[in-house]
Amino acid sequence: MRSNYTKGSLDESNAGDDPLRLFQRWFDKAVAAKLLEPNAVTLSTVDAATMQPSSRVVLLKGFDESGFTFYTNYAGRKARELAATPKAAMNVLWLPLERQVRIEGTIAKVGAAETEAYFRSRPRASQIGAWASRQSAVVGSAAELSDREAELERRFEGRDVPLPDFWGGYRLRPTMIEFWQGKQSRLHDRIAFRAADAGAWTRERLAP
């Protein structure tokens, strides 16, 4: 199985000096191309005790100069690992565009008001789901989850679903962002930006 990548190129002139602006352009292109879940990112964390890394796909819910934001259960495995080692990596793959982006950085929880605002924007079923799932815990059956969901729907019937105190957002503040554009002969373009002082970035080209 082999594909010959021919859809684009990336050089210093079109990469610019600001990786967040470049990410915005690439993200907008992925949305315009109607890719399935263009905001899906692979998030990697590490268990501090065993040094075992783990990865899973989460949905990116925002990004700006302060970082890349996602939401999750604060009691699940990823949250426990982030509490012990507040560093993480993200990987975004837009395969139809022959592009990927790697992001590394430090992690912090977002503020309560920001989490509350995002939770209010979610569909009611997703709000109930946040309460129903004890993320990463063993469950006896799918029926057990369905029963818990039904019980919560009854509990919150006729009123707003409150924000769980065990659920909220994280923001990855990037220290490195690398852009990859597939090229012919596997001589892919890789341009990495590394955080410097006072919000500046250094840029370098990497061998494929």
Side-chain angles (χ1 to χ4, degrees):
M1 294 181 287
R2 177 172 290 271
S3 298
N4 196 24
Y5 300 130
T6 61
K7 293 187 177 179
S9 63
L10 179 65
D11 61 26
E12 288 72 7
S13 64
N14 58 37
D17 298 318
D18 185 339
L20 292 170
R21 289 184 180 179
L22 179 56
F23 187 89
Q24 182 72 68
R25 295 203 306 272
W26 279 26
F27 184 84
D28 290 345
K29 182 70 177 292
V31 172
K34 300 186 184 304
L35 303 188
L36 179 64
E37 302 283 25
N39 61 328
V41 303
T42 299
L43 175 74
S44 298
T45 57
V46 65
D47 185 308
T50 64
M51 298 306 293
Q52 173 64 51
S54 61
S55 297
R56 76 289 289 160
V57 175
V58 300
L59 295 180
L60 186 64
K61 290 301 180 178
F63 58 90
D64 56 23
E65 292 77 8
S66 63
F68 297 78
T69 303
F70 63 96
Y71 291 83
T72 190
N73 189 302
Y74 283 152
R77 175 178 175 177
K78 73 172 92 51
R80 295 194 299 271
E81 292 179 351
L82 290 172
T85 306
K87 294 183 178 182
M90 287 180 173
N91 191 82
V92 191
L93 177 64
W94 296 307
L95 196 54
L97 302 178
E98 299 170 356
R99 288 175 169 174
Q100 69 173 325
V101 183
R102 295 196 313 112
I103 307 164
E104 298 174 358
T106 58
I107 285 279
K109 289 182 178 180
V110 307
E114 187 174 350
T115 289
E116 179 78 36
Y118 173 69
F119 188 77
R120 291 287 135 238
S121 75
R122 305 183 88 207
R124 185 178 179 87
S126 297
Q127 294 174 348
I128 295 285
W131 278 95
S133 174
R134 298 181 176 94
Q135 195 174 79
S136 302
V138 175
V139 294
S141 66
E144 182 179 320
L145 279 176
S146 296
D147 290 346
R148 179 165 170 76
E149 179 185 39
E151 187 277 324
L152 288 161
E153 287 174 344
R154 290 190 295 271
R155 183 196 305 180
F156 298 130
E157 184 177 4
R159 63 188 179 99
D160 289 342
V161 179
L163 171 68
D165 59 6
F166 52 81
W167 190 95
Y170 286 100
R171 182 169 289 113
L172 188 155
R173 185 173 183 84
T175 56
M176 190 284 299
I177 306 178
E178 180 195 319
F179 296 84
W180 179 98
Q181 176 71 61
K183 293 285 291 295
Q184 296 188 53
S185 304
R186 295 298 188 263
L187 293 177
H188 312 302
D189 287 324
R190 293 176 64 193
I191 291 185
F193 294 82
R194 301 185 189 279
D197 295 333
W201 295 87
T202 61
R203 186 188 65 203
E204 56 194 10
R205 175 172 285 272
L206 305 178

